[in-house]
Amino acid sequence: MSPDLERLINLQHAESAVADAQARIAAHPQRVAAADARLDEAKAVVETAKQRLKANQEQRRELEKGAAVYQGRLAKFKEQLSAVKTNREYQAMQHEIATAQSELGTAEEKVLEQMVDADDITADIKQAEAAFARVQKEIDAERRTLADELAAAERELAQAAERRDTLVRETPRALLDLFHQVAKARKGVAIASATRDGLCSVCHVRLRPPVFQKVRHNDEIVQCETCQRILYYVPPPPPVETPVVHQP
Ligand SMILES: [Zn+2]
C-alpha cells in the first residue's frame, strides 16, 4: 500500500478516535446529572412521605385538642345537671350532653383514623428509605463507573491526538488539505473502503470499473466520484489451505 494512503487511513482512525473521545467527555456532565437526578427523585419520595407523617401528626394534635374541649364541655354539663331545678331545664341539659357526647365520639373516631393512617405512612417511609438506600448504592457505583469512563476517554483522547499530530507532520500538505476538505464536507469521515464487489462502502454507489481497478492496487489516492471520499481496498484473506488427506 502507498505510505500516503496508509497515513490517511491511520489519520482517519486517529481523527475518529479523537471525535469519539471528545463526544464521550462532552456527554459526561449530563450523565452525572442524570444519576444525581435519580438519587434526588428517591430522596424526594422519602421527604414527601415524611411531610405526610408530619401533617398527620399536626392534624391529630388538632383533633385531640378538639376532643379535650368537648370533654371539658361534657364535664361542665354533667356538673350543671345536678343543679337544674325544672324538668325543662333538665331535658335541655340532657340534650346538650348528648350533643357534646356525639361530638366527642366523632373527634375520637377521627383521632383513631389518623393513628391508622400514621401506621401506613410510617410503613411508606420505611419502604421509601429502603428504596433510597438501594438507589444510593447504585448511584455510588454508577458515579465510580462514570469517573473511570471519563478518565479512559481522556486517556484515549490524548493518545489519539498524539497519533494524529504525528501523522499530520508526516503527511504531505496537499494530501492533508484534501483529507480535511473531504472530512469537513462529509461529517468527519474522509476515507472509505471499496467493497469487494466494487461499491464505495460509505455511500454505496458502484465505482466505475477503471476507478475500482485503481483502488484495488492501493498505490495512489483515488476518490469516490460520488461522495469524494478517499478510497482504499482490503483484499480478501488468502484461502485457508486444507490439508490433503491421502487415502491409504
Ligand atoms: Zn462514496
Side-chain angles (χ1 to χ4, degrees):
M1 181 180 278
S2 102
D4 279 345
L5 186 55
E6 197 173 348
R7 276 190 204 101
L8 290 186
I9 293 168
N10 290 334
L11 180 58
Q12 182 64 63
H13 287 156
E15 289 280 24
S16 298
V18 165
D20 177 64
Q22 279 171 336
R24 280 183 286 147
I25 291 167
H28 178 77
Q30 212 181 342
R31 293 176 73 197
V32 171
D36 288 348
R38 257 184 75 205
L39 190 61
D40 288 348
E41 222 172 89
K43 179 108 194 146
V45 174
V46 175
E47 287 309 314
T48 305
K50 283 185 175 172
Q51 284 301 322
R52 271 171 59 216
L53 186 62
K54 205 177 146 196
N56 170 285
Q57 284 164 341
E58 275 164 15
Q59 269 172 318
R60 186 175 147 189
R61 270 195 294 279
E62 283 308 306
L63 288 166
E64 281 169 343
K65 257 191 242 168
V69 169
Y70 296 131
Q71 227 148 15
R73 205 175 288 169
L74 200 57
K76 199 182 76 190
F77 288 149
K78 279 180 178 165
E79 209 183 281
Q80 287 172 351
L81 195 60
S82 55
V84 294
K85 293 192 175 66
T86 69
N87 204 25
R88 233 181 113 188
E89 273 177 347
Y90 186 81
Q91 270 169 1
M93 196 53 73
Q94 283 289 18
H95 180 74
E96 295 281 12
I97 287 171
T99 304
Q101 229 151 13
S102 146
E103 280 168 339
L104 176 62
T106 305
E108 280 174 345
E109 230 166 76
K110 281 184 181 164
V111 169
L112 271 175
E113 277 169 22
Q114 291 294 321
M115 284 164 79
V116 171
D117 282 353
D119 285 347
D120 289 346
I121 298 169
T122 303
D124 286 351
I125 292 174
K126 271 207 180 117
Q127 207 174 27
E129 279 174 339
F132 174 73
R134 269 198 308 277
V135 173
Q136 192 161 41
K137 242 187 202 168
E138 281 170 22
I139 298 300
D140 282 350
E142 199 172 319
R143 281 196 188 123
R144 280 194 295 275
T145 305
L146 287 173
D148 289 349
E149 284 176 3
L150 178 63
E154 280 167 348
R155 255 192 328 271
E156 280 163 32
L157 175 61
Q159 288 163 355
E162 203 183 312
R163 284 202 304 279
R164 176 195 60 194
D165 295 348
T166 307
L167 288 160
V168 163
R169 277 195 300 277
E170 291 170 348
T171 309
R173 185 78 234 169
L175 271 186
L176 273 183
D177 288 347
L178 174 66
F179 177 94
H180 287 131
Q181 182 200 321
V182 178
K184 200 174 163 192
R186 298 289 170 196
K187 291 181 181 158
V189 180
I191 304 285
S193 64
T195 66
R196 277 166 210 153
D197 52 354
L199 306 181
C200 168
S201 66
V202 181
C203 76
H204 306 295
V205 171
R206 183 167 295 283
L207 307 172
R208 287 189 302 121
V211 175
F212 185 43
Q213 198 53 36
K214 274 200 243 175
V215 173
R216 282 167 64 114
H217 288 123
N218 272 337
D219 58 6
E220 59 186 304
I221 302 301
V222 184
Q223 288 176 263
C224 170
E225 289 174 318
T226 307
C227 73
Q228 311 304 317
R229 290 189 178 91
I230 299 157
L231 295 164
Y232 68 100
Y233 182 68
V234 182
V240 181
E241 278 182 37
T242 44
V244 181
V245 179
H246 293 284
Q247 297 294 327

